Amino acid sequence: MHKIDMNQVKNIVTDIVSKHTVENVAFVGCGASKAELYPGKYFLDHNAKKLRAYHFTANEFNTDTPAWLDEHTVVITASLGGTTPETVKANSVAKAAGATVVSVTHTPGSPLTKEADYVIVHGFEADYAAKLEKMGYVMALALELQQQTEGCPVYEDMLIGYDNIFEMAENSAQSARKAAKEFAVAYKDAPVIYFMSSGASAEVAYSSSICLTLEMQWINSGSFHSGEFFHGPFEIVEKGVPFVLLMNEGQTRPVDARALTFLHRFDALTTVIDAKDYGLTNAVPANVATYFNPLLHTAVFRVYAEEISYIRQHPLTKRRYMWKLEY
Amino acid sequence: MHKIDMNQVKNIVTDIVSKHTVENVAFVGCGASKAELYPGKYFLDHNAKKLRAYHFTANEFNTDTPAWLDEHTVVITASLGGTTPETVKANSVAKAAGATVVSVTHTPGSPLTKEADYVIVHGFEADYAAKLEKMGYVMALALELQQQTEGCPVYEDMLIGYDNIFEMAENSAQSARKAAKEFAVAYKDAPVIYFMSSGASAEVAYSSSICLTLEMQWINSGSFHSGEFFHGPFEIVEKGVPFVLLMNEGQTRPVDARALTFLHRFDALTTVIDAKDYGLTNAVPANVATYFNPLLHTAVFRVYAEEISYIRQHPLTKRRYMWKLEY
């Protein structure tokens, strides 16, 4: 059964807190990696009573560096290939201010690892679960940082969740192929696709929009929090307007459910990836299920993205600019 | 000359800190009001060394209420009409947990004022500057909370900025009509409009997209941080794809400038509202100019939104659903 190495995370945090009083945790990255940091930030935002947590796109962190950045700060950076220039620079900015840097990357020896105090290497290619390791490690760092600084009442429940989520997400992705093919048929000619979610999955909606749709399919797209839907975006809804809702199990489910009711009422073209349908709470304790939604949604929507790429004969790796020119 | 009442803000904060040790500040609202809270959050995120700052859409705050919400928390809520149900409920959630509530609204006696410990009533109709009062008051609350709890090295500079920004923004809006008419002609048939900004203005791009474009013009739209542009969204750029860039004066200007260079290079349909063109640093001290960008951008883009509404004969007040049905 697929798992991440929780002992490695625990040992890194134990070492950090033996050297520094940790007051701040800054999650810094770009694009999909920035979005994959969000569940860690979300976890601390809702649970930590003392730690301060921040989430920056790397170039904002580099150009408008916060006044509090110092030796009491842990900066967690992530980049799949470990070459994202802004994120590599963020490590330098953090180190220059005396902060501790933990970098999470798929690529040992990559530029991102050079100035990092600690490096976690995650999988990617093996299967759908492997694509969740980056996000999983980052949230595990958040969990351990809270546990080892101020204590975390849901710590044990989170560990149970980690024991089961990867296999559960893999199985969910494997079972999603038929629904994904239906999605691909229905959305292949969509002039625009909107994405919504809430809670810890809010930035899965964001990365599904900016990466999988805008970047990898060149389809127009926007995303927003399900709780914001009724405060602006819902006026775009008419019969057939394409939406994808990543529906959460847990605290914010009523927020998603209200948006879904509206989409159905006005016959929007609606695709729902519902964590409840996949049985999230059969795999993780109900009181912490909300934090594991993004892993499930990421695994399942990956299959949807694959299928729309096949039917449109537009590979997910096809680019106009990236890898082709300097910018 | 138009100003907001800084003494009122100061007195409210003085009263709060005489009663409670303030550790957390939560900014809670929906839609445009949520976006107008962001500069206050951004200010604390970059300056406060002890205070913890949070920003929630109201229904997430209500359904996944953070564990730390208590008597050491100030919850700042905002709603123009003071009737937004989720935000009114957020006041109840905050009060039930023992937090102090400051509500910023245009409407005295509105539901939002009922459970608030302190109410600030802001202008709106008078002119473009009046439409900035809500955002201005919220950031002023952030500034005073930092100053009166841990001290704020840029406090005096911020006060100078507040002395001048409203008149400067009003004059900027008044001078933007010609450029706004050109924007309206060029974008009136746009199938989609993308918005970008960075720094304290990041959520002006967001609200310009979800409110002024999706909600009030029924034009497809997406928004993202300029620093994220190269990590996904830029692949949608081709000749003629419509973008609006709210360009900042201050720390994150290089982030915006890099995106602008790319838009020009590939002949995107590009509109820039540049705080430098309007002389932001003639009005506010350069070291704090970055925090005042959102007031300038909001005032100027309002004129652009008016002009596109005129040419499309689609009033900004026209709705499909809001004010018309229950949802």
Side-chain angles (χ1 to χ4, degrees):
Chain A
M1 179 164 44
H2 187 100
K3 283 182 192 174
I4 63 174
D5 182 354
M6 295 301 284
N7 280 330
Q8 183 186 9
V9 174
K10 193 170 182 172
N11 292 339
I12 288 172
V13 173
T14 301
D15 198 54
I16 294 171
V17 301
S18 75
K19 296 173 179 167
H20 302 280
T21 306
V22 178
E23 296 172 359
N24 313 306
V25 183
F27 300 91
V28 181
C30 296
S33 287
K34 174 187 167 275
E36 288 166 315
L37 297 163
Y38 185 72
K41 154 80 169 158
Y42 189 89
F43 183 84
L44 291 180
D45 270 3
H46 284 76
N47 287 284
K49 298 188 173 183
K50 292 177 185 164
L51 279 177
R52 309 188 326 156
Y54 299 87
H55 189 209
F56 297 105
T57 186
N59 237 348
E60 186 151 293
F61 179 81
N62 297 338
T63 55
D64 198 6
T65 307
W68 42 260
L69 186 68
D70 65 8
E71 70 274 20
H72 302 298
T73 302
V74 176
V75 176
I76 299 172
T77 58
S79 165
L80 182 69
T83 58
T84 312
E86 299 95 319
T87 313
V88 173
K89 184 171 177 197
N91 280 10
S92 299
V93 169
K95 289 306 300 171
T100 301
V101 173
V102 184
S103 290
V104 183
T105 178
H106 179 50
T107 315
S110 61
L112 191 71
T113 67
K114 300 304 181 194
E115 293 195 74
D117 297 288
Y118 306 91
V119 173
I120 294 176
V121 176
H122 63 81
F124 189 76
E125 291 88 357
D127 51 20
Y128 295 103
K131 294 178 187 24
L132 311 176
E133 287 189 23
K134 192 201 296 174
M135 185 186 280
Y137 271 117
V138 170
M139 186 166 71
L141 284 163
L143 174 68
E144 273 297 335
L145 280 162
Q146 181 179 340
Q147 171 69 0
Q148 294 196 34
T149 56
E150 60 183 80
C152 179
V154 296
Y155 182 74
E156 296 299 332
D157 294 319
M158 289 294 289
L159 294 187
I160 296 168
Y162 268 109
D163 271 347
N164 299 320
I165 187 64
F166 291 96
E167 186 178 10
M168 188 270 172
E170 179 67 28
N171 291 341
S172 299
Q174 296 293 350
S175 73
R177 190 64 59 183
K178 180 164 172 285
K181 285 182 190 292
E182 292 167 1
F183 163 80
V185 170
Y187 285 66
K188 66 182 164 53
D189 299 316
V192 62
I193 304 176
Y194 290 107
F195 290 85
M196 280 195 285
S197 193
S198 65
S201 267
E203 293 214 358
V204 183
Y206 169 75
S207 63
S208 298
S209 173
I210 71 155
C211 296
L212 291 165
T213 307
L214 282 169
E215 179 183 49
M216 301 186 187
Q217 288 299 300
W218 310 348
I219 297 173
N220 286 309
S221 183
S223 67
F224 26 81
H225 192 290
S226 313
E228 294 277 280
F229 176 61
F230 292 102
H231 303 283
F234 80 137
E235 290 284 344
I236 204 71
V237 170
E238 283 187 297
K239 183 173 165 59
V241 174
F243 273 79
V244 175
L245 175 64
L246 306 176
M247 197 148 166
N248 288 269
E249 182 71 294
Q251 280 82 342
T252 62
R253 184 171 183 82
V255 182
D256 299 329
R258 185 176 166 219
L260 180 60
T261 299
F262 191 91
L263 292 173
H264 283 159
R265 179 173 171 191
F266 292 97
D267 283 327
L269 177 57
T270 305
T271 291
V272 182
I273 296 175
D274 187 350
K276 194 182 185 79
D277 288 345
Y278 290 97
L280 181 61
T281 53
N282 298 335
V284 306
N287 62 320
V288 295
T290 202
Y291 305 114
F292 290 99
N293 285 291
L295 287 89
L296 175 67
H297 288 142
T298 298
V300 172
F301 190 72
R302 183 82 192 182
V303 181
Y304 283 58
E306 287 171 357
E307 288 298 331
I308 201 168
S309 81
Y310 301 152
I311 203 166
R312 297 180 75 240
Q313 299 187 43
H314 183 121
L316 293 174
T317 51
K318 187 173 175 180
R319 297 289 185 280
R320 287 186 170 115
Y321 310 114
M322 192 179 174
W323 308 317
K324 296 188 175 173
L325 46 86
E326 298 286 312
Y327 44 84
Chain B
M1 179 166 46
H2 187 100
K3 284 182 191 173
I4 63 173
D5 183 354
M6 295 300 283
N7 279 330
Q8 183 187 9
V9 174
K10 193 170 183 170
N11 291 339
I12 287 171
V13 173
T14 302
D15 199 54
I16 293 171
V17 300
S18 75
K19 295 174 181 167
H20 302 280
T21 305
V22 178
E23 295 172 359
N24 313 306
V25 183
F27 300 91
V28 181
C30 297
S33 287
K34 171 184 169 280
E36 288 166 314
L37 296 163
Y38 185 72
K41 154 80 168 156
Y42 189 89
F43 183 84
L44 291 179
D45 270 1
H46 284 76
N47 288 283
K49 296 187 175 185
K50 292 178 185 164
L51 279 177
R52 310 193 319 161
Y54 300 86
H55 189 208
F56 297 104
T57 188
N59 237 351
E60 186 152 292
F61 179 82
N62 298 337
T63 55
D64 197 7
T65 306
W68 43 261
L69 186 68
D70 64 8
E71 68 275 19
H72 302 297
T73 302
V74 176
V75 176
I76 298 172
T77 57
S79 166
L80 182 69
T83 56
T84 311
E86 299 94 319
T87 313
V88 172
K89 183 170 178 197
N91 280 9
S92 299
V93 169
K95 289 306 299 171
T100 300
V101 174
V102 184
S103 290
V104 183
T105 178
H106 180 49
T107 315
S110 60
L112 192 70
T113 67
K114 299 305 180 194
E115 291 196 75
D117 296 288
Y118 306 91
V119 173
I120 294 176
V121 176
H122 64 80
F124 190 77
E125 292 88 358
D127 51 21
Y128 294 103
K131 293 178 185 27
L132 310 175
E133 287 189 23
K134 192 201 294 173
M135 185 187 282
Y137 271 118
V138 170
M139 185 165 71
L141 284 162
L143 175 67
E144 275 296 338
L145 280 162
Q146 184 181 337
Q147 171 69 1
Q148 294 196 34
T149 55
E150 59 182 83
C152 179
V154 296
Y155 182 73
E156 296 298 332
D157 294 320
M158 289 294 290
L159 293 186
I160 295 168
Y162 268 109
D163 271 347
N164 299 320
I165 187 63
F166 292 97
E167 185 177 12
M168 188 271 171
E170 178 68 27
N171 291 342
S172 299
Q174 296 292 349
S175 73
R177 189 66 59 182
K178 182 165 170 288
K181 285 181 191 293
E182 292 167 3
F183 163 80
V185 169
Y187 286 66
K188 67 182 165 51
D189 299 317
V192 62
I193 304 176
Y194 290 106
F195 290 84
M196 278 196 284
S197 193
S198 65
S201 267
E203 293 213 0
V204 183
Y206 168 76
S207 63
S208 298
S209 173
I210 69 155
C211 295
L212 290 164
T213 307
L214 281 170
E215 179 183 47
M216 300 186 187
Q217 289 298 301
W218 310 348
I219 298 173
N220 286 309
S221 184
S223 68
F224 27 83
H225 191 289
S226 312
E228 294 277 279
F229 177 60
F230 293 101
H231 302 283
F234 81 138
E235 291 283 344
I236 203 71
V237 171
E238 281 188 298
K239 183 174 166 59
V241 173
F243 273 79
V244 175
L245 175 63
L246 306 176
M247 196 149 167
N248 288 268
E249 183 70 296
Q251 280 82 339
T252 63
R253 185 171 184 81
V255 183
D256 299 330
R258 186 177 167 219
L260 179 59
T261 299
F262 191 91
L263 291 174
H264 283 158
R265 181 175 171 190
F266 292 96
D267 283 327
L269 176 59
T270 305
T271 291
V272 183
I273 297 175
D274 186 351
K276 193 183 186 78
D277 288 344
Y278 290 97
L280 181 62
T281 53
N282 298 334
V284 306
N287 64 319
V288 295
T290 204
Y291 305 113
F292 290 99
N293 285 293
L295 288 89
L296 175 68
H297 288 141
T298 298
V300 171
F301 190 73
R302 182 79 193 185
V303 181
Y304 283 58
E306 287 171 359
E307 288 298 331
I308 203 168
S309 81
Y310 301 154
I311 203 166
R312 298 180 74 240
Q313 299 187 44
H314 184 121
L316 293 174
T317 50
K318 188 174 175 180
R319 297 289 185 280
R320 287 185 170 117
Y321 310 114
M322 190 180 175
W323 307 316
K324 295 186 176 174
L325 46 86
E326 298 286 314
Y327 45 83

